[in-house]
């Protein structure tokens, strides 16, 4: 198994409800290590750039509005098969379909306000990490 890195974002619905620590605990308990972390509030331009792959999808504008509605916590997680591990801990995008014990099953409000984002592949993780963090911020 390979040690890899992935991007995790704790979304505005979770920061508003002050459950970032509970989410981070689940990630760390699954064997993931936080090697970078910061709390920010995205501008519209930053959110549009990050989610640009979805620009033509009908939910794009709502997604950008949601992701700019409050602070987010961005993290780089490291561990064995970090992308797959993070996605397993997050659960299905739709919390109604998420397995018991996952972040989205326990904390999501709905399919949009589903508390967390995680990279879906190692390639996307590398691109997302470079969009959100300078190399000097990856301190382990």
């Amino acid at each position: 198994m390979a040690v890899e890195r992935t991007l995790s974002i704790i979304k505005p619905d979770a920061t508003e409800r002050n459950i970032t620590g509970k989410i981070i605990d689940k990630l760390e308990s699954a064997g993931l290590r936080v090697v970078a972390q910061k709390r920010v509030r995205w501008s519209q331009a930053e959110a549009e750039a990050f989610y640009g792959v979805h620009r033509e999808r009908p939910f794009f504008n709502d997604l950008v509005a949601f992701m700019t509605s409050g602070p987010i916590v961005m993290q780089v997680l490291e561990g064995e098969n970090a992308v797959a591990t993070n996605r397993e801990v997050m659960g299905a995008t739709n919390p109604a379909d998420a397995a018991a014990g996952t972040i989205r099953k326990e904390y999501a409000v709905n399919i949009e306000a589903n508390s967390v984002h995680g990279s879906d592949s190692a390639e996307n993780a590398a691109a997302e990490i470079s969009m959100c963090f300078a190399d000097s911020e990856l301190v382990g």
Side-chain angles (χ1 to χ4, degrees), residues 25-122:
D25 180 59
K26 281 193 167 290
L27 297 167
E28 290 180 330
S29 294
L32 296 169
R33 184 168 171 250
V34 177
V35 297
Q37 182 182 69
K38 58 186 170 182
R39 184 180 182 102
V40 302
R41 185 161 186 165
W42 267 346
S43 68
Q44 182 169 338
E46 288 169 321
E48 286 176 350
F50 187 84
Y51 287 109
V53 66
H54 299 301
R55 188 170 305 281
E56 302 304 319
R57 311 279 298 270
F59 59 81
F60 177 75
N61 290 331
D62 289 340
L63 176 60
V64 168
F66 171 64
M67 291 301 292
T68 58
S69 68
I72 59 174
V73 175
M74 297 189 295
Q75 305 174 104
V76 178
L77 306 175
E78 183 178 80
E80 293 288 329
N81 297 310
V83 173
T85 300
N86 184 41
R87 296 191 67 76
E88 183 177 321
V89 174
M90 289 190 315
T93 302
N94 185 345
D97 300 331
T102 62
I103 292 168
R104 289 176 172 153
K105 187 60 145 188
E106 291 188 14
Y107 302 120
V109 175
N110 56 44
I111 193 168
E112 180 182 78
N114 63 12
S115 300
V116 287
H117 163 89
S119 304
D120 63 1
S121 68

Side-chain angles (χ1 to χ4, degrees), residues 118-136:
S119 304
D120 63 1
S121 68
E123 297 77 24
N124 284 341
E128 290 177 351
I129 290 168
S130 69
M131 288 178 83
C132 298
F133 289 90
D135 286 344
S136 63

Side-chain angles (χ1 to χ4, degrees), residues 5-17:
R5 289 180 171 172
T6 190
L7 184 77
S8 168
I9 299 175
I10 301 175
K11 294 181 177 182
D13 66 291
T15 62
E16 179 183 344
R17 291 178 287 140

